C-alpha cells in the first residue's frame, strides 16, 4: 500500500512532492525497483518518469532488475526527452548493467544502438564484449550518427577495443568523423600502433600527419613505431616531417638513436625548431650525436649542432670542450660563443679562445664575446682588464661594458 501511495505521489504536479516520493522509494531499495520501472515504462508524465529515473540512479547496482526496461525506453523516439535520465540511471547501475547493454547494442535499430553504444563508452573497459557489435556500427557508411556513437563506445572501452583499429583508421579521411577517430585511437593507446602504421604510407599528406600526431600522444609507448617514424622524416611534405620530429621527441630518450636523422633537419628552417625541441626531450643522450654533428661535412648541420649543444645543461665539460674547438671555425664561432654563454662560470676553460674573439673586427662578435666573459664571472676579470687597455676603442668599450 505504501509503495502504491509513493508511486502515486510521483505523478504529483508539485515537483517537491515528486522529489520527496522518489527519495523515499530510493531508500526502500530493491522492493521499490518494480514500481519505479513500471512508472518509467507505462507512465506518460515526464515529471514522474524523471523522478523515477533519478531514484533508480541513486540505487546503483540494486536497480539491476530495472535494466531491461530502461533499455527498452532507449529504443523509443517518443521518449527522447527522458533518454538522458535513463542513460544516467544505467551508468549509475554500473557493471551490473553491462551484459544487458552488450546484448542490446547488437540491435539493428539505429536509435537504440546509438544510445547504448554511448552508455557502454561511459562504463569503460568492462564493455569489451561489445567491440564486435560496435565495429559493425562503424561500417554503417550512410549513418554518421551511428558511426560517431560507435566511436564513443570504443573510446570509452579503451585498450580492449584495439581489434577495431583497422576499421577506424580509414575513417580518418572522413572530415566529420576524423576528430572522433583521433580521440578514440588516442584512448586505445599503443596497442593500436600496428593498425595505425599503414596510415603513414597514405597518399594524402594530411592523413600521414594525423597518424603521426596520434603516435606522438603515446609518448614513450610509441617506441615500437620508431623505425617507421624515422622513415617519415624523409617525407616530401614539411608538415609530415615536422609531425614525425614531434613524435620522436615525445618518445623521448628511447628515440635517441634518431638524433643523427634529426641533425639533417637542422638544415631546414621550417623543421629546425621542432628538431631542437625533440632532441631536448631525448635528454643528455642526444649530446653525443650533436658533438659528432659539429664535424659534419654539411655547413648547416655543423652550425645547427653547435647551436643545439648550447641548449643542454648536462655534460657541460664535454660541451664546452666541443664549443672551444668550434670557435676555430669562422662559420661556427659566433654560435659557439653564444652557446658558451649558457654555461656561465663552467665555461671558464674557454677564456683563451674568448680573449682572441674579443679582438674580432665584427661588432656583434665582440659584443657576444663580452657577454660570455661577463657570465663566466671573476675568472674572466683578468681578460677583461687587459681588454680595457687594448689599442682598439671598440675592444676597450666592450671590455668595460662587460
Amino acid at each position: 500500500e505504501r509503495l502504491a501511495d509513493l508511486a502515486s505521489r510521483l505523478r504529483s504536479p508539485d515537483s517537491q512532492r515528486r522529489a520527496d516520493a522518489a527519495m523515499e522509494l530510493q531508500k526502500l531499495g530493491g522492493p521499490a525497483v518494480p514500481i519505479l520501472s513500471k512508472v518509467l515504462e507505462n507512465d506518460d508524465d515526464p515529471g514522474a518518469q524523471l523522478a523515477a529515473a533519478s531514484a533508480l540512479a541513486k540505487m546503483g547496482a540494486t536497480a539491476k532488475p530495472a535494466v531491461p526496461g530502461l533499455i527498452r525506453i532507449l529504443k523509443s523516439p517518443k521518449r527522447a526527452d527522458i533518454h538522458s535520465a535513463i542513460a544516467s540511471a544505467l551508468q549509475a547501475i554500473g557493471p551490473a548493467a553491462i551484459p544487458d547493454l552488450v546484448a542490446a547494442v547488437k540491435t539493428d535499430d539505429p536509435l537504440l544502438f546509438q544510445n547504448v553504444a554511448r552508455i557502454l563508452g561511459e562504463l569503460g573497459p568492462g564493455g569489451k564484449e561489445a567491440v564486435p557489435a560496435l565495429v559493425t556500427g562503424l561500417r554503417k557508411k550512410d549513418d554518421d550518427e551511428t558511426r560517431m556513437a560507435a566511436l564513443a563506445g570504443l573510446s570509452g572501452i579503451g585498450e580492449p577495443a584495439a581489434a577495431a583499429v583497422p576499421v577506424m583508421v580509414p575513417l580518418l579521411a572522413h572530415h566529420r568523423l576524423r576528430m572522433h577517430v583521433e580521440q578514440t585511437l588516442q584512448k586505445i593507446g599503443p596497442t593500436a600502433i600496428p593498425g595505425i602504421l599503414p596510415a603513414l604510407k597514405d597518399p594524402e599528406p594530411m592523413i600521414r600527419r594525423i597518424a603521426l600526431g596520434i603516435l606522438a600522444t603515446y609518448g614513450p609507448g610509441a617506441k615500437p613505431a620508431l623505425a617507421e617514424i624515422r622513415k617519415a622524416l624523409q617525407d616530401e611534405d614539411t608538415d609530415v616531417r615536422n609531425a614525425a620530429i614531434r613524435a620522436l621527441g615525445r618518445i623521448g630518450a628511447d628515440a635517441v638513436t634518431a638524433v643523427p636523422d634529426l641533425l639533417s633537419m637542422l638544415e631546414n628552417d621550417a623543421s629546425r625548431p621542432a628538431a631542437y625541441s625533440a632532441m631536448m626531450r631525448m635528454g643528455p643522450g642526444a649530446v653525443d650525436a650533436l658533438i659528432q654533428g659539429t664535424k659534419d661535412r654539411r655547413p648547416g648541420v655543423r652550425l645547427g649542432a653547435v647551436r643545439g649543444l648550447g641548449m643542454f645543461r648536462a655534460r657541460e665539460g664535454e660541451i664546452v670542450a666541443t664549443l672551444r674547438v668550434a670557435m676555430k671555425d669562422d662559420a661556427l664561432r659566433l654560435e659557439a660563443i653564444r652557446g658558451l654563454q649558457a654555461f656561465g662560470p663552467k665555461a671558464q676553460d674557454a677564456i683563451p679562445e674568448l680573449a682572441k674573439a674579443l679582438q674580432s673586427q665584427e661588432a656583434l662578435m665582440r659584443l657576444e664575446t663580452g657577454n660570455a666573459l661577463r657570465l663566466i664571472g671573476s675568472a674572466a676579470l683578468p681578460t677583461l682588464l687587459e681588454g680595457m687597455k687594448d689599442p682598439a676603442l671598440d675592444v676597450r668599450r666592450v671590455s668595460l661594458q662587460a
Side-chain angles (χ1 to χ4, degrees):
E1 186 177 334
R2 185 186 177 197
L3 288 172
D5 176 58
L6 290 170
S8 175
R9 285 163 55 190
L10 281 177
R11 302 180 183 89
S12 170
D14 185 325
S15 60
Q16 186 58 53
R17 187 172 172 81
R18 290 198 304 269
D20 291 342
M23 184 176 294
E24 289 190 49
L25 285 164
Q26 170 208 331
K27 290 178 180 177
L28 290 174
V33 171
I35 295 291
L36 292 167
S37 298
K38 186 176 180 181
V39 169
L40 278 170
E41 289 200 68
N42 301 323
D43 210 299
D44 292 328
D45 181 349
Q49 292 171 330
L50 289 172
S54 175
L56 288 170
K58 290 173 182 174
M59 288 182 187
T62 302
K64 183 182 184 303
V67 169
L70 292 172
I71 291 174
R72 281 194 294 273
I73 295 171
L74 293 175
K75 188 176 183 178
S76 172
K78 294 180 180 178
R79 315 290 289 282
D81 54 340
I82 64 166
H83 282 178
S84 178
I86 298 300
S88 296
L90 286 164
Q91 290 166 30
I93 292 169
I98 288 178
D100 290 292
L101 290 167
V102 170
V105 84
K106 297 174 183 178
T107 180
D108 290 326
D109 182 282
L111 181 61
L112 180 59
F113 177 93
Q114 292 162 22
N115 284 322
V116 173
R118 291 191 171 95
I119 295 167
L120 282 166
E122 294 296 327
L123 292 175
K128 62 184 179 181
E129 297 300 324
V131 170
L134 294 172
V135 169
T136 299
L138 283 181
R139 299 184 190 277
K140 303 285 186 182
K141 295 183 179 180
D142 299 323
D143 189 347
D144 286 350
E145 291 301 322
T146 291
R147 294 201 284 187
M148 282 192 281
L151 287 166
L154 293 165
S155 179
I157 291 169
E159 185 176 347
V165 172
V167 181
M168 270 189 273
V169 170
L171 298 180
L172 288 170
H174 192 298
H175 74 279
R176 192 176 177 202
L177 300 176
R178 185 176 301 131
M179 181 180 71
H180 302 279
V181 175
E182 286 185 63
Q183 292 172 347
T184 303
L185 290 169
Q186 290 168 17
K187 290 288 186 67
I188 290 173
T191 55
I193 288 175
I196 294 172
L197 291 181
L200 300 184
K201 299 176 182 177
D202 193 277
E204 175 57 52
M206 180 184 64
I207 301 301
R208 302 197 297 274
R209 175 179 55 78
I210 290 172
L212 287 162
I214 295 166
L215 291 172
T217 66
Y218 299 157
K223 184 180 177 182
L226 180 58
E228 296 303 317
I229 295 173
R230 290 177 69 174
K231 290 178 184 177
L233 293 174
Q234 308 303 319
D235 198 281
E236 60 186 17
D237 185 272
T238 299
D239 290 338
V240 174
R241 291 197 301 272
N242 287 345
I245 293 170
R246 287 190 290 272
L248 290 170
R250 292 294 186 88
I251 292 173
D254 286 338
V256 74
T257 54
V259 174
D261 300 328
L262 292 175
L263 289 176
S264 298
M265 300 293 104
L266 298 179
E267 291 190 291
N268 187 309
D269 290 342
S271 297
R272 190 178 300 123
Y276 282 136
S277 177
M279 287 188 278
M280 290 294 292
R281 283 177 171 271
M282 292 173 189
V287 170
D288 289 327
L290 284 167
I291 290 174
Q292 284 299 117
T294 64
K295 306 169 189 175
D296 196 274
R297 59 180 179 78
R298 294 163 291 179
V301 172
R302 293 199 303 274
L303 184 63
V306 168
R307 187 177 292 156
L309 284 170
M311 298 178 183
F312 283 85
R313 300 296 176 269
R315 299 173 61 180
E316 293 94 339
E318 295 172 74
I319 294 176
V320 168
T322 301
L323 295 176
R324 291 176 66 188
V325 173
M327 285 184 66
K328 298 175 182 178
D329 186 326
D330 292 343
L332 304 180
R333 188 172 299 121
L334 182 60
E335 286 302 329
I337 292 169
R338 287 171 171 164
L340 288 167
Q341 291 172 5
F343 296 98
K346 294 180 180 179
Q348 63 180 344
D349 288 349
I351 290 175
E353 289 80 13
L354 291 168
K356 292 179 183 178
L358 197 58
Q359 308 294 322
S360 172
Q361 298 300 308
E362 299 176 31
L364 182 58
M365 189 80 72
R366 293 193 301 270
L367 178 63
E368 296 291 3
T369 301
N371 286 334
L373 289 166
R374 174 178 58 81
L375 290 165
I376 287 173
S378 59
L381 187 57
T383 299
L384 292 170
L385 290 174
E386 283 298 313
M388 290 169 61
K389 303 173 186 177
D390 196 275
L393 175 61
D394 289 335
V395 175
R396 296 199 302 273
R397 183 182 292 118
V398 169
S399 298
L400 181 61
Q401 290 173 341

